[in-house]
């Protein structure tokens, strides 16, 4: 499955397994898949680019069999080039890397595509929209962080919305097919701000995996923001 073939004018939900119960990760992935999500978001942290550690390719290959959905892999790594290939081999379909990392986006995008995966470019809250403009016509997705990367459960940064809109407007101006994702603090309320600014792919960890009303309700609530989506 490819993200370029999914809708651009609908809300897509990408639950972040960071908020799941790691002791039963396979079942947790199956649970959100059956609840109607569109992809599975994997947060990879190296304890250097961000002050936290998560997991690596061996875990990705173990859980690959629990869902056929896109494994949307968010590399929060200083050296993404060093590990991108191993994640793709393990089953990652889409690799997003940070524009602030050490590697040359040009080379990394080429490598990801030649390895048969799709590429996303992502930027931290302090990085300006224009930093990703040179690669907009070569990536399948842009990910705008709406929290400082490193931890789940943080508050949504509403002040990132002008940046989301600036990237959306550039995508529209150049008539490109690029998915626009936001990540951090997305729930049934903040999703409306993100959608109104033009983001259509919603990463949601806490609000999906830890929702007392269940994952299906959580996902439906996020998709309801389609009515305000800026297309
Ligand atoms: C933060 C991660 C996010 C995070 C989202 O570095 O990239 O994907 O897990 O979690 P919530 O939805 O709980 O903010
Ligand atoms: Zn993420």
């Amino acid at each position: 499955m490819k993200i370029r073939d999914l809708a651009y004018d609908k809300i897509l939900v990408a639950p972040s397994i960071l908020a799941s119960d790691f002791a039963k990760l396979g079942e947790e992935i199956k649970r959100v898949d059956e609840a109607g999500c569109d992809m599975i978001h994997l947060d990879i942290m190296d304890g250097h680019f961000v002050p936290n550690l998560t997991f690596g390719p061996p875990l990705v290959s173990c859980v690959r069999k629990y869902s056929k959905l896109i494994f949307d892999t968010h590399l929060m790594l200083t050296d993404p080039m060093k590990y991108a290939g191993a994640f793709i081999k393990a089953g990652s379909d889409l690799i997003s890397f940070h524009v602030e990392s050490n590697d040359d986006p040009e080379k990394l995008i080429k490598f990801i595509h030649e390895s048969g995966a799709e590429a996303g470019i992502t930027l931290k809250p302090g990085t300006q929209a224009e930093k990703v403009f040179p690669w907009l016509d070569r990536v399948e997705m842009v990910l705008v962080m709406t929290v400082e990367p490193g931890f789940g459960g943080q508050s949504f940064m509403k002040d990132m919305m002008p940046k989301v809109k600036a990237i959306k407007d550039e995508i529209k101006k150049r008539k490109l097919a690029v998915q626009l994702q936001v990540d951090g603090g997305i729930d049934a309320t903040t999703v409306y701000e993100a959608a109104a600014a033009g983001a259509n792919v919603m990463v949601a960890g806490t609000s999906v995996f830890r929702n007392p009303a269940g994952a299906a309700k959580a996902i439906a609530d996020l998709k309801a923001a389609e009515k305000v989506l800026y297309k």
Side-chain angles (χ1 to χ4, degrees), residues 81 97 99 103-114 119 121 134-135 137-139:
M81 186 66 124
F97 62 91
V99 70
D103 295 323
D104 175 11
E106 174 106 32
K107 286 189 190 141
L108 202 40
I109 293 166
K110 194 164 174 277
F111 175 76
I112 293 167
H113 286 156
E114 284 173 359
I121 191 160
W135 294 284
D137 58 351
R138 267 169 275 176
V139 293

Side-chain angles (χ1 to χ4, degrees), residues 12-16 37-41 72 181 201-205 208:
L12 303 173
V13 178
S16 164
C37 71
D38 300 281
M39 61 196 91
I40 305 293
H41 187 82
D72 157 31
Q181 185 177 55
V201 189
M202 308 294 172
V203 176
V208 170

Side-chain angles (χ1 to χ4, degrees), residues 71-75 80 83-85 87-88 92-97 108 112 117-121 141:
F71 271 14
D72 157 31
T73 311
H74 176 194
L75 301 185
Y83 301 99
F87 281 101
I88 295 168
S92 290
D93 302 289
L94 185 148
I95 299 283
S96 292
F97 62 91
L108 202 40
I112 293 167
E118 295 185 288
I121 191 160
M141 188 172 82

Side-chain angles (χ1 to χ4, degrees), residues 30 34 37 44 52 62 70 75 80 102 106 113-114 152-153 171 197-198 200 206-207 228 230:
K30 208 162 161 237
E34 287 168 358
C37 71
I44 314 300
N52 198 5
C62 283
I70 291 169
L75 301 185
N102 275 349
E106 174 106 32
H113 286 156
E114 284 173 359
I171 291 169
N200 69 306
T206 309
S207 74
V228 303
Y230 171 53

Side-chain angles (χ1 to χ4, degrees), residues 116-160:
E118 295 185 288
I121 191 160
T122 177
L123 60 180
K124 297 207 278 187
T127 304
Q128 288 178 344
E130 292 72 27
K131 290 277 181 204
V132 300
F133 285 2
W135 294 284
L136 276 187
D137 58 351
R138 267 169 275 176
V139 293
E140 282 72 37
M141 188 172 82
V142 174
L143 161 53
V144 176
M145 290 305 300
T146 45
V147 296
E148 274 309 330
F151 300 91
Q154 304 183 75
S155 300
F156 176 74
M157 296 169 74
K158 190 186 165 146
D159 52 334
M160 292 298 116

